[in-house]
Amino acid sequence: MSDKRLSIAALGGVHEIGKNMYFLQYADDILVIDCGSKFPDESLLGIDLIIPDVTYLLNNVDKLRALIVTHGHEDHIGGIPYLLKQLNIPIYASRLTLGLIENKLKEHRLLRQTSLHCIDAESSLTFGSITTTFFSTNHSIPDCLGVVFDTPEGTVVHTGDFKFDMTPVNKQYPDIHKMADIGKNGVKILLSESTNAERPGFTPSEQLVGAHMEEAFQKADRRIFVSTFASNVHRLQQIVDASILTGRKLTLLGRSMVNVVSVSQELGYLNIPDGMLVEPAEAAKLPPEQIAVLCTGSQGEPMAALSRLANSSHRLMEIGAGDTVLLAANPIPGNERNVSRIVDNLYMLGARVIYGSKSELHVSGHGSQEELKLMLTLMKPEYFIPIHGEYRMLHHHSLLAEAVGVKEDNIFILKNGEVVESLEGVVRQSGRVPAGQIFVDGLGVGDIGNVVLRDRRQLSADGVLITVITLSQTDGRMLSAPDTISRGFIYVRNSDNLMEEINQFIAATLEKMSKGDLGQWNIMKQTLKDALSKYLYDKTKRRPMILPIIIEV
C-alpha cells in the first residue's frame, strides 16, 4: 500500500452479524475499530468462540497506533483479550465500554499491561496525519459513539451501531446537530451498520418496553423470571423499575448478567436501591410474590441460566406452576429452534410464558430503513460502504443509499479482507488483506481448523470404530484375532454377529495383503480403512471414523 494512500478494510463484521473489526490506514498509521467475537452455530462442534483473523495487523505491528471501540457489546469487544495476547495496543473507549473491557481483561490477567484511555463525544485524538473525533449515538447499551477520521484524503465516518431514539431511557440523545455539521463539512467515505436495512419505518423507542414490562409484573401472581441480553443496560433498568413498582426483590442468575450489573452499578449507569439485590439462595426462601429473577439465556444457549431452569437442572432455583417467564429479547436468526425448545419446556413446567414480537417486551437497538436514510442524509457521503450485516442487509442498505442520492458506482459491498483505497481523491476497490475467522476451543486459539471440524462432524454423525491388530515382529502374521471397539457406531451387545463379521473381514483383508505391504504400517492402515469403510457402508449405510491400531510383538 502507498505511503500516501488511505486504505479501509473489514477483518470481520461483513456478510455476518458478529466479530466486528475494521481498520483504517493512512501512510504509516493504522487505527483499528472494534474487535468483537461471535458464538458458533451448531455446525462448529465444540467451538467456544469465533474471533477475527488479525494476520494483517501482526504483519504491520510497527504501524499500529490504537484500537478504538464504539460500544460495549460482545460482537465489538469480545475478541479484545485474544488480540492483546498478540499485540499490546492502546485502547480508547467510552466510560461504560471501558468498564466492560476491564472486566474481560481481569479474567484474562491482562489488565496491568494494557493501556486504557477513556473518551467521550467531545474527545479529539491525533495519530500521525489522522485526527479522530466522535459523536453520540443511540443503541441498546449506553455510551455509544460514532467515529470521525479526518485524513489528508478526506473524512471517513464509522457510525458504530445506532438507532435514532428521541426519547431514550438514559437521556443520552443522538447528537443530530453534530452529525449534520460533519456532513456539511464533507464526508468522503461513510461506513454505516446495516442490521435492520430490511425493516421499513423507524425502530420504536426503548421506553415502550418499560410500560409493557410493568404491566406484565403487575399481572404476575408468583415469581417472575425475566431473560434478556445482559448488555442491554436500558432494559435492565426498566426491569429494576418494574420490580420496585411491584415490591419485589431482585436476584441475578448467569455470570455475564452478574458482571454487567456489577460494572453498570459501580459506574452509575444502573440504579438499584440498597437491599434490593439478594443472592439466589436467599431468594429461593422468599415468598414467590416477592421475588423477580433476572437471568441470561434469552437466545436458548444450552448452558445458560434459563435453559437450565427450563430443564429443571439449575442447582439454586426452579420454575414452578404459576410462575411467569418473560423473554425480553427476540431470537437472533439461527437461534429460533433453541428458543422454541425452551418455551416448550417452560410450558410443560406449568409456567406462564410471555414471548415473541406480540409481547412488546423487546425493541431492536438498530435503526430501521428510515433511520439509515436519515444517517445517510445527515452525512451526505461521496462514497458509501455498508457494514455489519448479512449480504442481503448490505444489499438493501446500498439501495437505500442510492435512493438518497449516492451514486451506484460509489457504493462498495465488500467481503472481509477486501480493501477500499483512496489515492489523490480517487476511491476504488483494490486488492485484499488476510481475513477470516479464528476458532477458540478451550485454551486453544486458532489450533482448530477444517480438518478437525470435519472429524468432529463425522464422529457426531456415525461414531468411531477402533480395531486393534497384533502382528508378529518376525514374520508379520497375526498373532490373535482383531479386537474391535465401537463408540457411537453400533451398540456392541446387540450386534454380536456384525462385530464377528467385521473381525473376520479385517483378518481376511490382512491375509490378502502382500508381505511387502505388511511391513509398512501406513499402507496397511490406509488399505484397512478403505476396505473396511466400503464394507461397513454396504452393511449399514453408515460411515464411522475408522482407526486401525497396529501392535508388533
Side-chain angles (χ1 to χ4, degrees), residues 138-160:
N138 288 133
H139 189 36
S140 53
I141 189 171
D143 282 6
C144 295
L145 297 172
V147 192
V148 183
F149 303 96
D150 286 313
T151 79
E153 280 289 319
T155 298
V156 178
V157 175
H158 185 297
T159 65

Side-chain angles (χ1 to χ4, degrees), residues 458 461-463 489 533-534 536-537 540-545:
Q458 187 176 3
D462 292 315
F489 169 51
S533 177
K534 184 177 185 304
L536 293 176
Y537 186 76
T540 66
K541 298 303 178 193
R542 302 176 200 166
R543 296 189 186 277
M545 179 178 287

Side-chain angles (χ1 to χ4, degrees), residues 3-7 24-29 31 126-132 149-156 186 188-189 422-427:
D3 284 345
K4 299 299 181 182
R5 186 173 298 180
L6 172 67
S7 304
L24 177 144
Q25 178 174 355
Y26 183 81
D28 289 330
D29 301 304
L31 301 179
T126 301
F127 305 97
S129 302
I130 307 169
T131 300
T132 307
F149 303 96
D150 286 313
T151 79
E153 280 289 319
T155 298
V156 178
K188 188 77 171 180
I189 303 172
S422 177
L423 181 61
E424 296 179 356
V426 177
V427 178

Side-chain angles (χ1 to χ4, degrees), residues 254-268:
R255 190 178 69 160
S256 61
M257 187 67 73
V258 172
N259 287 342
V260 171
V261 168
S262 174
V263 172
S264 302
Q265 255 195 301
E266 185 181 333
L267 297 177

Side-chain angles (χ1 to χ4, degrees), residues 272-285:
I272 303 177
D274 292 341
M276 184 179 181
L277 277 180
V278 296
E279 292 297 320
E282 182 184 346
K285 299 173 185 176

